[in-house]
Amino acid sequence: MAIRHQVIEQSPEAVWAVLLNPALYSEWVVGTTDSRPLDDQWPQVDAALEYSVPIGPLSYEGRTTVRRYEPHRWLELEAHSGRLGTARIAIEVRPWGGHTLVIVDEHPLRGLGGKLHTAPLDLLIQLRHRTMLPRLAQTVERTTHQAPSADAHASPEARPPGMRS
């Protein structure tokens, strides 16, 4: 199995805000573009999203389905890759001090990928995760800094001392 982890220097809530937004999926999942939900149920079990997977001048549509969702703890997905079969992608989110530890466990599940699952395939998945987890961290960082802070809208009297202008 390909298991990789990364500490993201943001709160678990900020990480979940990205994981639970299907429109952001293609920003952090390597190899995908143009993600969109298939219904308004994401991330409930059996909800799905679609995305494009460009391969040179060609492109195909991929689909990922939620198989397990435990708020603030787990998001497990099944990624459908056409003739290659499906893969299980388990994302665990843990508070880590004031930050977040994200653990990704991915392995082929069904179809050709599941039948031909070998150590070299796990190595390729590990290499993909070396790019994917930093992209997730960057997306969390970017979306956290885009959100307006509550203090920005508070009256000067409501702000902590030293924050009044």
Side-chain angles (χ1 to χ4, degrees):
M1 282 190 246
I3 300 172
R4 189 138 190 97
H5 65 276
Q6 176 153 343
V7 173
I8 296 178
E9 295 184 357
Q10 295 291 327
S11 70
E13 293 78 19
V15 172
W16 277 111
V18 170
L19 292 176
L20 301 184
N21 185 338
L24 295 176
Y25 186 84
S26 61
E27 290 190 28
W28 59 272
V29 176
V30 175
T32 65
T33 61
D34 304 320
S35 59
R36 58 215 165 269
L38 288 175
D39 55 37
D40 62 356
Q41 301 300 309
W42 188 269
Q44 300 306 312
V45 172
D46 293 329
L49 57 85
E50 284 185 323
Y51 44 85
S52 299
V53 180
I55 303 172
L58 304 174
S59 179
Y60 83 90
E61 299 300 307
R63 186 179 80 246
T64 295
T65 304
V66 176
R67 294 299 182 210
R68 177 181 174 201
Y69 172 53
E70 291 182 29
H72 307 290
R73 177 97 200 263
W74 288 97
L75 179 63
E76 289 193 43
L77 309 170
E78 185 172 0
H80 304 266
S81 300
R83 293 183 177 156
L84 293 177
T86 68
R88 171 188 172 262
I89 305 160
I91 303 168
E92 182 180 2
V93 177
R94 295 181 189 174
W96 201 256
H99 304 301
T100 306
L101 176 63
V102 177
I103 303 166
V104 177
D105 172 359
E106 179 176 353
H107 64 271
L109 189 61
R110 304 179 204 197
L112 186 62
K115 290 176 185 172
L116 301 176
H117 185 197
T118 60
L121 181 55
D122 280 345
L123 178 62
L124 291 173
I125 295 170
Q126 283 281 358
L127 292 172
R128 180 172 168 253
H129 289 176
R130 283 186 183 202
T131 301
M132 184 179 77
L133 285 168
R135 283 175 61 166
L136 175 60
Q138 291 168 354
T139 304
V140 171
E141 183 77 22
R142 181 182 53 76
T143 58
T144 300
H145 289 300
Q146 284 181 349
S149 72
D151 287 340
H153 301 292
S155 67
E157 294 77 27
R159 293 183 195 144
M163 294 291 292
R164 297 181 182 145
S165 43

